[in-house]
Amino acid sequence: MKQLLILIILFSILVSCDNTSAPEPVLPVPTDRQLSWHELEMYAFVHFNMNTFTNMEWGFGSESPELFNPTELDCRQWARVCKDAGLKGIILTAKHHDGFCLWPSAYTEHSVKNSPWKNGKGNLVQELADACKEYGLKMGIYLSPWDRNHPDYGKPEYLNYFRNQLRELLTNYGDVFEVWFDGANGGTGYYGGTNEERRIDREAYYDWPNTRQIVRDLQPDACMFSDAGPDIRWVGNEEGWAMETNWAAIRRDEYYPGTPDYADLRCGQEDGTHWVPAEVDVSIRPGWFYHPSEDHMVKTLPQLLDIYYNSIGRNASLLINFPVDKRGLIHEKDEEQILKLAAAVKADFANDLAKGKKVTASNVRGNSKKFKADNVSDGNLETYWATDDGVIKASLEIDLGEETEFNRFLVQEDIRLGQRVRKFTVDVYNNNVWKEIASETTIGRKRILRFPNVTGTKVRLNILDAKACPVISNVGIYKAPRILIEPEIMRSKDGLVSISTFDSGLTIYYSIDGSEPGLNSEKYSVPFLLDKKAVVKAVAVDDETQGKTLVTTVNFDIPKTKWKVAGKLSGEDKIETIIDGDENTAWSTDGKHPVDFVIDLGENLNLAGFKYLPDQGRWDPGIIFQYELFLSLDGKKWESPVSSGEFSNIKNSPIWQSKEFSPTEARFIKLRALTPAVENGRLGIAEFEIITQ
Ligand code: FUL
């Protein structure tokens, strides 16, 4: 025992005598407030304001405060959902472009104080601050610099108003972790009743240096977001992905909020002067604000997983938006999906196969224990592996000890010393050979690679190029379970059925006789011809775990092989998309109505109904409301309609519509679109189907 103690003391002396110095930071490096923000990784946006009640994305600014009246508003519900989903904070649209304020600002009447909600006594920012506190979440503030309501917008006076509001929000509600300055700014608006267009000089108007100073003075720990920082930058799209090459630094002084050359910043800049990492902002639905018509468009688990890996896995953070609904609640469907994502992420990273494993390196800084290779597998992000100065090409070998199957590789630089790596590859060792499985560029705070399952006994990380000696704090290796999402079944115009799954490596079984598909059914490998009416059912199975997806069922009528668009529209560009079997392509009129869509089925058929899918596009979709359906044997003589009426609630729910009628023989079918469902007046079809007897 005594000897052991002496040994430990000797060892400690040895280690403490080790005077190998840490690598010099590669500038720029993050500030403390940025380091804390990096740790959050994933947090929520809530778009809830006047637009929720007017079904708009950008209000004009003339909306009456009377319209703001949530019936069941509950910020604790938002906080509970976010907490359950592992999100670390909530950023609220305290004021969006239309200028309506969710707190009773002393500087305007255009706020909750003149709304029926809580008889004008409500304060939503306060309610959110309280809920966040109760649930241990951070709170952030979105305050739109553009204000389409305010009479002074565009004049120097508005800056005082904007700053006063900023002061109110940053003084009265406790700690704020992020202040979000939107780049969308300037254009038409109500502006106190003048109803005109106002443009500002985005760079100069807000006197940003002094405006930002207000945030620094009142909330020194808050990070400020804008297209170009100063602390966090926009990723350059609202679709949910960062570039694979993603430097955290940019040449910040060359840009400003609303900067026209924001695309330059997508990858960050290797020669950036300031640390301004990217934030991926994306909504869980197509819109930022709630629209009942998007209830069926909530992002699916595969889509959300792609977003997760393409943001957090690419050296960015993820700001995921919930369009809180008119009740004032996060919609049940949104909650369900975000919880699915949380569960899937947990499962993917449940077991780090590299943890505690022996790691060796081609070079260790000063041969020192402080910078040893297995610092990357010790589960401690404070320790790191580093090489000697000047050694920018180096590799790490992780000995997994036994044959191991995996499909994720995670790697982190210690960003306190700056972002360094320019290029790296990953190899796996199997049957006495090394095989490259990935070749990438930047790492940054976190990089996660996804690939089909591979097996090996060792894994090697090769740093091929870096700004200075690499400093790697963590390597993780995982085997994420396959995602068991029901297969997608599609049939092309000429009858070829293809079945696909989100995750590779699943076995698909299918039937075309209505029977339940299972291990004894036909195995799917390539698209097959289905030239008749049939019910196709498919299931996917993970051979390893025997886990199964739900069954997908699609009722196909006869294929559209012989179909053609006839009548007046037949020459129109892309009109054939209405019968191409692809729900994502659509054709719409420019607003004239009524319009006749005539289809030649190429043969006489006994028809008993039809199905209509409206344009699924987000912007200006063409949607038919009232219709008549005619049949003809020769395309010339049309009888009276076999079906007519409306597609009820189609504006709010633009999903497949199905109408049946008494069986009639015909070769030509005419859908007369009488009125549009949407104000834009457009009449469109994504896909048209028939029901034969
Ligand atoms: C954009 C805004 O114009 C959208 O309405 C939304 O708030 C989004 C987060 O930022 O620039």
Side-chain angles (χ1 to χ4, degrees), residues 167-354:
R167 286 193 193 96
E168 282 184 318
L169 289 166
L170 301 184
T171 312
N172 300 333
Y173 304 98
D175 289 343
V176 166
F177 83 101
E178 182 168 331
V179 180
W180 222 87
F181 292 129
D182 202 321
N185 204 337
T188 56
Y190 173 73
Y191 305 128
T194 56
N195 296 320
E196 59 191 359
E197 180 160 346
R198 294 190 186 173
R199 300 268 165 208
I200 47 126
D201 176 342
R202 292 178 178 183
E203 192 172 1
Y205 182 59
Y206 292 90
D207 176 19
W208 282 114
N210 288 311
T211 301
R212 286 175 181 152
Q213 194 54 45
I214 297 173
V215 182
R216 291 283 188 249
D217 291 345
L218 297 174
Q219 295 279 347
D221 297 332
C223 281
M224 280 179 263
F225 166 97
S226 86
D227 292 341
D231 305 312
I232 309 165
R233 74 173 198 271
W234 188 37
V235 78
N237 68 76
E238 295 180 350
E239 291 152 17
W241 51 273
M243 300 293 274
E244 288 173 319
T245 299
N246 188 7
W247 293 98
I250 60 167
R251 297 186 302 274
R252 190 174 76 182
D253 295 340
E254 295 176 21
Y255 306 90
Y256 51 88
T259 190
D261 34 17
Y262 65 83
D264 293 4
L265 304 178
R266 285 204 174 124
C267 297
Q269 292 166 327
E270 195 183 322
D271 61 351
T273 49
H274 293 81
W275 190 268
V276 190
E279 177 185 81
V280 169
D281 61 320
V282 60
S283 186
I284 197 157
R285 292 170 174 242
W288 289 102
F289 284 93
Y290 178 76
H291 309 291
S293 61
E294 292 177 353
D295 279 351
H296 72 298
M297 295 178 185
V298 182
K299 292 200 167 72
T300 60
L301 177 61
Q303 289 171 318
L304 290 172
L305 272 170
D306 279 347
I307 289 173
Y308 179 89
Y309 281 103
N310 295 342
S311 55
I312 293 169
R314 291 185 181 173
N315 192 30
S317 68
L318 174 56
L319 174 59
I320 179 91
N321 178 64
F322 298 105
V324 160
D325 66 20
K326 268 175 128 164
R327 293 171 302 174
L329 300 174
I330 292 181
H331 195 279
E332 294 73 357
K333 290 192 176 161
D334 304 20
E335 173 177 0
E336 193 184 328
Q337 291 311 103
I338 198 72
L339 293 181
K340 277 190 195 165
L341 173 69
V345 168
K346 197 163 166 206
D348 284 7
F349 299 101
N351 183 19
D352 181 359
L353 301 163

